[in-house]
């Protein structure tokens, strides 16, 4: 069942989402050649806890860390390690935080030092495809409208759409109904209603969209080792559109955390 959140629940989700956003902002200056993904993970965990939240992914289905850190051809669910970021890498960082039982979920891909034109291209167009998808959101539209718009944009830019991984509802669990695919057919799927909260998260590839899962049973990589990028926001459906919850906190519970 797809849950409809009350206004108070949406404010709690916005607080969690804002902490996710602040964690991204906090980490950004540290994303430089030489830092390990484990060090980034530690910084993120300490920051999330300092904001009165808990990391959503730590222990989720056994996931061992706060962040998912996916480098270059890794798509999602990379496990922080002693790998040192190097000039020219791109890194997708997925962050979840929980406030009073409500979650926020947002991923962003970052450049490490100077990156190739190919890396710039996939980052730019994966981020744009997220907003192309979000633009579809308003009451009465359907989940398939979001995926169709993302897929059309990706294909127009010669990028692959990973189909095995999808966006999702967000609430008192970090993954709930409905699935929000990055592909689909306009006018199909569940109808969007005010109070639904969903994470939209295109995962695009420069080459083949086929993926493989690595021996650690978590990390997902492109089969052809082509670059991949991942951009995600958690949003609430409003009266006439959507509100990004994993951004700046506007209003809401007097800015209380
Ligand atoms: Mg995420
Ligand atoms: Mg997600």
């Amino acid at each position: 069942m797809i849950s409809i959140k009350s206004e108070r629940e949406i404010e709690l989700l916005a607080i969690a989402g804002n902490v996710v956003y602040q964690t991204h902002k906090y980490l950004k200056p540290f994303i430089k050649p030489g830092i390990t993904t484990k060090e980034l993970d530690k910084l993120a965990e300490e920051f999330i806890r300092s904001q009165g939240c808990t990391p959503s992914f730590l222990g989720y289905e056994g996931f061992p860390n706060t962040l998912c850190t996916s480098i270059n051809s890794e798509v999602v669910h990379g496990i922080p390690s002693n790998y040192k970021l190097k000039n020219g890498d791109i890194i997708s960082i997925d962050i979840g935080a929980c406030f009073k039982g409500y979650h926020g979920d947002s991923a962003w891909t970052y450049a490490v030092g100077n990156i190739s034109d190919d890396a710039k291209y996939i980052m730019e167009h994966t981020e744009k495809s997220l907003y192309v998808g979000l633009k579809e959101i308003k009451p009465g539209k359907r989940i398939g409208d979001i995926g169709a718009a993302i897929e059309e944009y990706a294909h127009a830019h010669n990028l692959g759409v990973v189909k095995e991984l999808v966006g999702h509802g967000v609430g008192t669990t970090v993954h709930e109904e409905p699935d929000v695919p990055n592909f689909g057919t306009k006018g199909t799927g569940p109808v969007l209603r005010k109070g639904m909260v969903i994470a939209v998260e295109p995962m695009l590839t420069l080459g083949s969209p086929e993926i493989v899962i690595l021996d650690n049973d978590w990390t997902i990589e492109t089969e052809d080792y082509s670059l991949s990028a991942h951009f995600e926001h958690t949003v609430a459906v409003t009266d006439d559109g959507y509100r990004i919850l994993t951004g700046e906190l506007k209003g809401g519970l007097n800015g209380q955390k």
Side-chain angles (χ1 to χ4, degrees):
M1 208 189 72
I2 302 174
S3 68
I4 300 293
K5 275 76 177 179
S6 68
E7 273 178 35
R8 178 171 169 83
E9 286 181 300
I10 288 176
E11 292 317 320
L12 294 169
L13 288 158
I15 293 170
N18 176 256
V19 170
V20 171
Y21 170 72
Q22 297 297 341
T23 310
H24 274 289
K25 270 177 59 169
Y26 173 70
L27 287 181
K28 196 172 178 193
F30 292 101
I31 303 171
K32 285 186 175 153
I35 195 163
T36 68
T37 48
K38 222 183 223 175
E39 287 168 327
L40 290 173
D41 186 69
K42 187 164 182 280
L43 288 167
E45 179 171 359
E46 286 169 356
F47 184 83
I48 288 170
R49 294 194 190 281
S50 78
Q51 302 301 303
C53 289
T54 52
S56 300
F57 304 154
L58 182 63
Y60 180 81
E61 292 182 1
F63 189 77
N65 291 87
T66 292
L67 299 180
C68 298
T69 52
S70 308
I71 318 264
N72 297 330
S73 56
E74 294 173 353
V75 182
V76 286
H77 305 165
I79 297 179
S81 71
N82 293 322
Y83 175 81
K84 279 188 182 162
L85 295 184
K86 56 181 200 300
N87 187 53
D89 282 342
I90 60 172
I91 178 172
S92 300
I93 296 185
D94 200 346
I95 306 177
C98 180
F99 179 75
K100 294 190 175 172
Y102 289 84
H103 296 268
D105 184 9
S106 171
W108 222 251
T109 302
Y110 297 92
V112 182
N114 298 311
I115 60 170
S116 67
D117 287 346
D118 275 354
K120 284 180 193 158
Y121 183 85
I122 187 151
M123 282 177 58
E124 177 189 343
H125 292 296
T126 307
E127 182 177 357
K128 284 186 177 159
S129 79
L130 167 62
Y131 293 101
V132 164
L134 293 179
K135 247 175 87 179
E136 295 296 315
I137 297 176
K138 63 177 176 184
K141 297 274 273 185
R142 289 172 178 263
I143 290 287
D145 297 330
I146 302 170
I150 292 172
E151 186 177 33
E152 188 184 336
Y153 183 89
H155 288 169
H157 292 83
N158 273 322
L159 295 171
V161 177
V162 174
K163 296 207 165 162
E164 292 83 347
L165 300 157
V166 296
H168 49 90
V170 181
T172 52
T173 58
V174 70
H175 294 132
E176 56 180 55
E177 286 184 51
D179 280 353
V180 184
N182 299 304
F183 57 93
T185 307
K186 279 187 208 305
T188 65
V191 176
L192 298 173
R193 297 187 197 286
K194 184 187 175 187
M196 282 184 187
V197 173
I198 56 174
V200 178
E201 49 179 313
M203 288 153 265
L204 304 185
T205 65
L206 206 52
S208 162
E210 300 301 320
I211 54 170
V212 292
I213 184 155
L214 303 191
D215 286 342
N216 64 21
D217 280 339
W218 277 108
T219 310
I220 289 176
E221 188 167 29
T222 54
E223 190 183 53
D224 63 358
Y225 302 110
S226 65
L227 290 177
S228 176
H230 182 201
F231 287 83
E232 174 185 31
H233 269 313
T234 301
V235 307
V237 182
T238 61
D239 280 321
D240 56 358
Y242 65 93
R243 170 183 171 194
I244 292 178
L245 300 180
T246 41
E248 292 288 355
L249 195 59
K250 292 176 188 119
L253 300 183
N254 303 315
Q256 169 200 331
K257 276 188 182 154

